[in-house]
């Protein structure tokens, strides 16, 4: 019984750790930065810190006689075999099944994805040209604000702010943003497992179960042709 309690305790600990949110932070001010935080761990995804590698001592290479590699038999392409058996309709059904599985994954992730922060600052300027700056400012407002409204209405956003300002005496436009997204790894793993199972049974197995079509016998084709001419 002690071993069972230890295993259950380990499983409970893993589930507890996977229930802690993973936070992804992205920002662009002078340069783009991408970070990942989980518990007390912190990872810089971009830019990554390069580790200096020590130069390795090169060993003298011995001359080896080239060995003749045996010719490998080409394996049949399973997708081509599936297409030859099922045709265009079968391939389209595979595409529909794949799109359905990916769509269900996105819906599942969407329910548990939280945007903690989303800030965007845009300055519009066009080389000291006030008229062109005003035109580009109107276009930017027409593009940015509906896009932000779509994100905030379809996703769970806690804090957000958007500022679009014209600069009539500036020389060029600029943009800065800061965003933080969090999700529990447990939900992400569950969604990934469901996606893998659906793709396995609805797509992968169908492709690999397809048997290559048998070529027709040469004598049979001649008899068919002869019968047709008679």
């Amino acid at each position: 019984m002690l071993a069972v309690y230890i295993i259950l305790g380990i499983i409970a600990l893993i589930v507890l750790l996977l229930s802690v949110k993973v936070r992804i932070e992205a920002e662009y001010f002078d340069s783009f930065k991408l970070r990942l935080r989980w518990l007390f761990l912190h990872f810089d995804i971009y830019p990554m810190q390069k580790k200096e590698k020590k130069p390795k001592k090169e060993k003298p290479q011995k001359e080896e006689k080239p060995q003749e590699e045996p010719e490998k038999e080409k394996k049949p392409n399973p997708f081509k075999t599936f297409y030859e058996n099922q045709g265009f309709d079968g391939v389209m059904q595979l595409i529909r099944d794949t799109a359905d599985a990916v769509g269900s994954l996105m819906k599942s992730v969407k329910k548990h994805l939280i945007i903690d922060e989303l800030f965007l600052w845009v300055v519009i300027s066009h080389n000291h040209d006030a008229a062109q700056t005003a035109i580009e400012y109107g276009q930017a407002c027409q593009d940015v604000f509906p896009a932000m409204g779509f994100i905030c209405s379809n996703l769970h956003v806690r804090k957000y702010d958007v500022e679009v300002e014209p600069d009539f005496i500036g020389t060029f436009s600029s943009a800065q943003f800061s965003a933080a997204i969090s999700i529990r790894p447990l939900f992400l793993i569950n969604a990934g497992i469901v996606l893998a199972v659906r793709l396995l049974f609805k797509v992968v197995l169908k492709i690999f179960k397809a048997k290559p079509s048998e070529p027709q016998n040469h004598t049979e084709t001649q008899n068919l042709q002869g019968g047709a001419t008679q």
Side-chain angles (χ1 to χ4, degrees):
M1 291 296 294
L2 181 60
V4 176
Y5 290 143
I6 293 174
I7 293 173
L8 291 177
I10 294 173
I11 294 174
L13 179 61
I14 293 173
V15 172
L16 181 62
L17 292 176
L18 292 177
S19 299
V20 178
K21 291 181 180 179
V22 174
R23 182 182 172 95
I24 301 173
E25 300 175 351
E27 64 178 27
Y28 178 81
F29 293 103
D30 296 330
S31 61
F32 178 73
K33 295 180 180 179
L34 184 64
R35 294 184 294 270
L36 187 144
R37 298 179 185 272
W38 183 63
L39 293 174
F40 55 87
L41 303 176
H42 174 272
F43 303 97
D44 291 328
I45 301 176
Y46 186 88
M48 296 181 64
Q49 296 180 356
K50 296 182 179 180
K51 297 181 179 179
E52 296 182 358
K53 295 182 179 179
K54 297 181 179 180
K56 297 180 179 179
K57 296 181 179 179
E58 295 183 358
K59 296 181 179 179
Q61 297 180 354
K62 297 180 180 179
E63 294 184 358
E64 296 181 356
K65 295 181 180 180
Q67 297 179 355
E68 295 183 358
E69 296 182 356
E71 294 183 359
K72 296 181 180 179
E73 295 182 357
K74 293 183 178 179
K75 296 182 179 180
N77 189 341
F79 185 80
K80 183 180 179 181
T81 303
F82 178 85
Y83 177 75
E84 291 175 352
N85 291 341
Q86 302 296 327
F88 179 77
D89 294 336
V91 175
M92 291 303 298
Q93 184 61 40
L94 285 183
I95 295 174
R96 285 191 289 268
D97 292 338
T98 304
D100 184 37
V102 174
S104 63
L105 171 69
M106 298 305 295
K107 289 180 182 179
S108 178
V109 172
K110 176 184 172 182
K111 292 179 182 178
H112 305 286
L113 185 69
I114 298 174
I115 300 178
D116 298 318
E117 298 175 359
L118 181 58
F119 302 113
L120 177 64
W121 302 274
V122 181
V123 177
I124 304 299
S125 183
H126 188 82
N127 197 19
H128 306 291
D129 189 345
Q132 188 63 30
T133 299
I135 294 172
E136 293 183 1
Y137 171 72
Q139 293 176 350
C141 292
Q142 188 178 0
D143 296 335
V144 172
F145 287 107
M148 182 62 69
F150 177 81
I151 293 173
C152 295
S153 60
N154 288 275
L155 297 175
H156 186 189
V157 183
R158 290 180 175 174
K159 296 180 182 179
Y160 66 92
D161 187 22
V162 182
E163 293 184 6
V164 181
E165 299 178 354
D167 185 3
F168 297 104
I169 60 174
T171 56
F172 57 91
S173 301
S174 62
Q176 298 176 344
F177 79 91
S178 175
I181 302 172
S182 62
I183 189 172
R184 300 184 191 277
L186 185 63
F187 298 131
L188 196 60
I189 292 172
N190 290 338
I193 293 173
V194 173
L195 175 65
V197 172
R198 294 187 65 177
L199 290 178
L200 177 64
F201 287 100
K202 289 191 174 182
V203 179
V204 177
L205 290 181
K206 287 182 180 179
I207 294 176
F208 284 95
K209 280 184 178 180
K211 296 180 180 180
S213 57
E214 295 180 357
Q216 293 183 351
N217 194 355
H218 183 65
T219 57
E220 293 180 357
T221 56
Q222 285 183 348
N223 292 331
L224 293 173
Q225 292 177 357
T229 54
Q230 292 175 1

